[in-house]
Amino acid sequence: MASAVVMVAVITSCSTGEPEAQTPDLAPRGTAMTTVTPSRQDLTNTVSLSGTVTMDPVYGIVAPVAGQVRYLTIEEPDRTPTRPTRVGSVWADGEPHWFEVPAGSTFTGRLADDRATVTAGMPVASAKLAGYAIVAEIDGEQAYQIAAGLTQVQAQIKNGPGPFPCKALGTIAALPEGTVPAPPPAEPPAEPESPRSGAQPPPVEPVDQEPPAGGPGGSDSTGLRLVCTAPPATKLINGASVDLEVVTAKAANALVVPVEAVAGKQGSGKVDVVESDGGRKIVDVVLGLTDGKVIEVKSGLKGDETLSVPGPNLPSGPDPQQGGDPSGPMGSK
């Protein structure tokens, strides 16, 4: 009788009468949960940099064309030049293409061998600005973003003047060590006549083979960096921190979509188009500018499509820790 009571208690405890928890229905894999349509807007691509007010910075002058570089012999000036200093030329198709150091700067070094073959845009000379400038160190990824877009730079000195336009000097490329060759030796004096018998020859003064003290000694190598100058009336303090914004490109009335709707960042990409019958297809697009929120679609869309968000997942590459082949023995387990 006691065992029957225990059996009833067990059955009662297992049957609480509460409804069983149901697993919620999940949408099939790949179902578009959010959609967007392209729109049009003006788009500006910018890169933010951190800089410092610096005295007498060095910057690079580039070859205007591809060809053979030929340097002039530059004498050290006794004051800051108020006119451009012609440094040399690049010969191409029998014609010289001159390059020069801007006024307000001095020539500090050759960056290539005389008569070397150079490419257009390659640094060929270094110059030193006389006065204040703003210098921002950049990395390789930023260099490719801003290389062709230095026409508009805005600067804001922290707790100081700004924002104001900052005029870029030279190139952002890293510079090798610059050299300033010694001037060619002067013509030797004519041989004196042989002294008469018994006469003492005149004393010969020693010739100093070293360059004069304070003469140009070339320039040190630099990393990738942007050098720009503030308007003349701007008060600058050496070492002050500066925020820079470089406008690299602009597009008016561009066709844009959210960056989340696109697989890819630069050049080419893919979007997931939702068709009227609910079907979906992957479409290749050509991408342009982005401000981090939207990205320009140059071609591939008409503008009336419905796109899935997020965009399509690109197939992942092989795992290097798995031997490089996901379909191999390690990937088939």
Side-chain angles (χ1 to χ4, degrees), residues 116-137:
T117 300
V118 297
T119 57
M122 177 178 172
V124 290
S126 61
K128 178 183 287 187
L129 176 71
Y132 286 121
I134 295 170
V135 178
E137 306 297 331

Side-chain angles (χ1 to χ4, degrees), residues 24 69 245 279:
V69 62
E245 186 177 76

Side-chain angles (χ1 to χ4, degrees), residues 143-159:
Y144 280 97
Q145 289 179 283
I146 68 178
L150 292 180
T151 56
Q152 187 174 345
V153 182
Q154 290 289 114
Q156 171 67 62
I157 299 176
K158 294 183 179 179
N159 300 318

Side-chain angles (χ1 to χ4, degrees), residues 66-302:
Q68 185 186 80
V69 62
R70 299 182 186 178
Y71 293 99
L72 301 175
T73 299
I74 308 300
E75 296 183 358
E76 183 186 8
D78 56 3
R79 63 179 61 88
T80 301
T82 58
R83 300 173 60 183
T85 303
R86 180 168 288 185
V87 175
S89 63
V90 177
W91 282 76
D93 299 326
E95 295 289 336
H97 300 265
W98 299 98
F99 54 90
E100 55 190 19
V101 172
S105 299
T106 55
F107 167 72
T108 54
R110 300 178 179 182
L111 303 183
D113 294 331
D114 191 41
R115 297 182 181 273
T117 300
V118 297
T119 57
M122 177 178 172
V124 290
S126 61
K128 178 183 287 187
L129 176 71
Y132 286 121
I134 295 170
V135 178
E137 306 297 331
I138 61 180
D139 59 33
E141 182 179 351
Q142 292 171 323
Y144 280 97
Q145 289 179 283
I146 68 178
L150 292 180
T151 56
Q152 187 174 345
V153 182
Q154 290 289 114
Q156 171 67 62
I157 299 176
K158 294 183 179 179
N159 300 318
F164 53 81
C166 201
K167 182 181 178 181
L169 295 177
T171 177
I172 63 171
L175 306 181
E177 182 179 348
T179 59
V180 178
E187 292 293 331
E191 290 291 337
E193 296 181 1
S194 299
R196 294 190 301 272
S197 177
Q200 294 294 329
V204 178
E205 296 184 1
V207 178
D208 187 3
Q209 299 294 335
E210 297 296 326
S219 59
D220 294 332
S221 60
T222 70
L224 288 162
R225 63 182 187 174
L226 167 65
V227 180
C228 64
T229 56
T234 307
K235 181 176 177 57
L236 301 177
I237 299 176
N238 191 44
S241 298
V242 186
D243 290 326
L244 294 171
E245 186 177 76
V246 182
V247 177
T248 60
K250 293 183 177 181
N253 197 33
L255 183 69
V256 300
V257 298
V259 293
E260 295 84 2
V262 179
K265 292 183 178 181
Q266 294 181 354
S268 60
K270 296 179 183 296
V271 295
D272 195 354
V273 176
V274 181
E275 299 179 310
S276 58
D277 60 358
R280 295 163 62 180
K281 65 177 180 179
I282 305 299
V283 175
D284 292 326
V285 292
V286 176
L287 304 176
L289 304 183
T290 179
D291 62 1
K293 297 179 180 180
V294 296
I295 189 167
E296 178 187 12
V297 178
K298 290 186 173 182
S299 64
L301 296 178
K302 296 178 181 179

